[in-house]
Amino acid sequence: MNIGEIARRAGVSRSTVSYALSGKRPVSDDTRRKIQQVIDELGYRPNASARALANGRTNAIGLVFPPAGNHYTGMQLDFIGSVVEAAAAYDYDVLLSPSGVDSDHSFQRLLGERRVDGAILMEIRLEDDRVAHLADLGFPSVAIGRTAHPEGGWWVGLDHTGLAAACVHHLADLGHTRVAFVNRPEQLLRAGYESAHRGLDGFTKAAAERSLTVRTYCCGDDAASGQECLERVLHDDPATTALVTLNEAALGGLYRGLAQAGRHVPRDFSVTGVVASRWAETVTPQLTAADVPAAEMGRRAVDLLVERLDHPEASPRHHLLAPPISLRASTGPAGTGTTP
Amino acid sequence: MNIGEIARRAGVSRSTVSYALSGKRPVSDDTRRKIQQVIDELGYRPNASARALANGRTNAIGLVFPPAGNHYTGMQLDFIGSVVEAAAAYDYDVLLSPSGVDSDHSFQRLLGERRVDGAILMEIRLEDDRVAHLADLGFPSVAIGRTAHPEGGWWVGLDHTGLAAACVHHLADLGHTRVAFVNRPEQLLRAGYESAHRGLDGFTKAAAERSLTVRTYCCGDDAASGQECLERVLHDDPATTALVTLNEAALGGLYRGLAQAGRHVPRDFSVTGVVASRWAETVTPQLTAADVPAAEMGRRAVDLLVERLDHPEASPRHHLLAPPISLRASTGPAGTGTTP
DNA sequence: ACGGGGCATCGAACCGGTTCGACCAAGGAG
DNA sequence: CTCCTTGGTCGAACCGGTTCGATGCCCCGT
């Protein structure tokens, strides 16, 4: 069951078995065959802990994903799936860590106890102590998202500012003048979540450029909050004819609120935002949105991390993605702007 | 940085440090304090690989989740989240493995290379070679779902048969007589997925009991497939007035198909099924459904696994859950049964 | 005064790999 | 015919913990 047993049965030394397996030194064809045969017979696989101890690499990466509020969003699911898949292609295992902050128990385990060779961080904040901490330590990591000071870092990010602005311009081009912005929960905005801040910025600036009348809202990550938020929107300004949202989980609730207020989408009211395509397509009418390329981002994050692990001295790299808006069926020309 | 360094600085032997940390032998208060002080100063944490090598436990569990088709469903997300959280409470890390079958590369790594102490299996099939394989090996594992021969196994399952039957009875009580069943993709049904089979069984038997006219369909795990499937339903039998579904991901598409066919839910058409509440609430009208208690199932699976790890000789245990149907807004009395 | 028991500590072996230096035999160059 | 390389193999040390057996010491009972 261990390398000594294999060596004994093959009539060679333990080091020879090791070299036969790793190929780091030449081994004659005869002995290699003999060893391989014994290994196949016994179904031997080298112990991962022992190997990790000996050569200092665990062949595992950590995926740090703090829960957004108290449950996970669909986008996180997409990230997790693509990261696991990409990592598997490089023969890396993925360890999940539900860590919130730098002082977090599970975060410490991953790093301090050397369970992983590198980490991928999700749900980045503009001032993120995890990112700062890892940078100080020189610990190999890649962020999905970027902080306020992204220079010299490894990350793959989304141009939330540009994307939100694109949504505004799309609506302004259609003649909308009174537009609402539905953001992630207030708690996340206050915590400094990148997407919430940059999205809000992009929205506000573009709206000013186009001289739109706007109101901005925070909204819980669930359908009930979405519905309640939409009621607030129409209560505050019944003449609102369109909204932009970053809040995937609230989308169904927003639609329900519109239906109950008797606003038909897209005839009376236009909806757009930044949402992964697979969720944009579950609502009716399908959402015109900037599709978050979650699968691609996860894959690229792994590519970057592996590159960093293989070349410790490589200089920092990043990818900033700005997917175009996919026209579906939830936006249309502005109507009268009052009750239908 | 390692235990020898701590020992040196504290002026004791390595074993004393180890005992001070583990408490497995008495250590005087003086030395314990001294050791603790050095540890705090240096921020020392014991190396996980070394520890795992020495005592044969990695303190990690594997979560084996084959992708359903080519992407992940919302329910899988809920399982992953709850498993990670529950495992963290027991100080276990979670390793994700996208393994499909027994011969899978990543599955072999997890088990063969002893990366984990135990495993939680998702997406169980009636005849599941992974479950059989692990049972043969005596490897500690817990299944989320149950095979055709669940006796003597460790699992937490859902009574899909009973749940689907409950949906049928609910619809029959409302006077529906022509009902469709929308299952998971055909590929999964053919592969023997438990939920697809048991759900179909429960539906069929209950429908026979109540003398309903039924048709059953398989449907891809996405909105477009749902829409297309609903068109097939109404094409095959326009007099259909209700459907039962297990397919969470297709739900949005089913609703869209109904809207485009001019069927109002629940006035002209009732929809129900087995779906996690958080997804049932995103559609409008909200889905009357048997709520899959994904969070509870994940937690219980971890509880069971930890129990099994702590007491290797414990006799097998399981939980079979049968949540009641939550009445929301998507079902109503049968109407005329023809076009509105 | 002496023996025994418990406490605190130490040294060494071990877990299962990897890797370095040494060794020997065979082959090629001078 | 040497000498030097190179290919193939081995033994030993090492990675960083845990654990067992031994030892020294102090205190107590008799």
Side-chain angles (χ1 to χ4, degrees), chain A residues 48 72 93 115 256 278 283, chain B residues 72 93 115 256 278 283:
Chain A
Y72 304 96
D93 283 324
R115 281 172 189 273
R256 175 152 61 241
R278 112 179 222 226
V283 291
Chain B
Y72 304 97
D93 283 323
R115 280 173 190 273
R256 173 151 64 240
R278 133 178 203 217
V283 291

Side-chain angles (χ1 to χ4, degrees), chain B:
Chain B
M1 33 154 56
N2 64 26
I3 201 175
E5 182 68 14
I6 303 295
R8 219 177 43 70
R9 301 208 188 198
V12 298
S13 73
R14 301 196 306 148
S15 48
T16 301
V17 176
S18 179
Y19 287 124
L21 252 25
S22 69
K24 298 198 178 179
R25 279 200 192 174
V27 169
S28 75
D29 282 355
D30 270 9
T31 40
R32 190 200 318 287
R33 260 194 299 275
K34 179 62 186 155
I35 290 172
Q36 192 56 50
Q37 180 189 332
V38 174
I39 286 179
D40 290 346
E41 247 166 49
L42 271 65
Y44 164 78
R45 309 219 65 188
N47 180 303
S49 303
R51 200 204 294 254
L53 177 58
N55 62 19
R57 307 185 98 235
T58 60
N59 256 264
I61 63 178
L63 181 54
V64 181
F65 72 129
N70 47 10
H71 58 248
Y72 304 97
T73 68
M75 220 166 76
Q76 286 181 311
L77 173 65
D78 294 338
F79 283 136
I80 294 173
S82 62
V83 164
V84 169
E85 198 165 329
Y90 285 111
D91 265 332
Y92 274 98
D93 283 323
V94 175
L95 246 107
L96 248 40
S97 167
S99 299
V101 286
D102 155 297
S103 61
D104 194 292
H105 193 60
S106 128
F107 195 68
Q108 290 302 325
R109 285 173 51 116
L110 248 57
L111 301 199
E113 303 183 2
R114 313 240 125 74
R115 280 173 190 273
V116 297
D117 297 333
I120 291 180
L121 268 45
M122 293 174 47
E123 306 286 326
I124 300 301
R125 305 185 175 136
L126 286 177
E127 305 295 335
D128 201 299
D129 42 2
R130 298 169 304 165
V131 175
H133 185 203
L134 292 185
D136 286 352
L137 264 52
F139 189 87
S141 66
V142 172
I144 294 185
R146 67 197 210 277
T147 65
H149 320 286
E151 318 79 29
W154 292 77
W155 49 268
V156 12
L158 210 52
D159 179 14
H160 289 101
T161 315
L163 259 31
C167 291
V168 170
H169 290 303
H170 173 63
L171 292 174
D173 291 346
L174 287 168
H176 295 274
T177 58
R178 308 181 82 87
V179 178
F181 182 73
V182 177
N183 206 336
R184 302 289 298 281
E186 189 178 350
Q187 158 202 5
L188 298 187
L189 181 64
R190 267 207 305 260
Y193 270 55
E194 188 221 351
S195 55
H197 272 275
R198 288 213 162 89
L200 178 56
D201 262 25
F203 174 84
T204 309
K205 292 202 178 110
E209 258 176 54
R210 304 296 292 257
S211 312
L212 305 186
T213 304
V214 301
R215 279 193 148 78
T216 62
Y217 297 82
C218 282
C219 174
D221 278 334
D222 59 272
S225 303
Q227 182 173 357
E228 183 260 338
C229 180
L230 191 104
E231 283 161 13
R232 258 159 53 215
V233 167
L234 292 184
H235 171 267
D236 292 350
D237 180 3
T240 306
T241 61
L243 70 80
V244 174
T245 186
L246 307 180
N247 195 321
E248 194 167 80
L251 193 58
L254 294 172
Y255 267 64
R256 173 151 64 240
L258 286 166
Q260 292 193 350
R263 310 276 177 133
H264 180 271
V265 177
R267 196 182 58 227
D268 312 320
F269 202 102
S270 290
V271 183
T272 184
V274 182
V275 172
S277 66
R278 133 178 203 217
W279 309 101
E281 287 168 3
T282 61
V283 291
T284 307
Q286 295 183 45
L287 191 73
T288 286
D291 298 343
V292 176
E296 180 185 358
M297 292 176 73
R299 194 172 42 66
R300 290 208 181 195
V302 172
D303 290 345
L304 248 38
L305 183 56
V306 169
E307 187 185 326
R308 191 170 172 186
L309 289 173
D310 289 347
H311 311 286
E313 297 309 322
S315 48
R317 293 183 43 199
H318 62 259
H319 299 290
L320 183 60
L321 307 183
I325 289 188
S326 293
L327 290 176
R328 296 198 184 85
S330 66
T331 56
T336 66
T338 57
T339 41

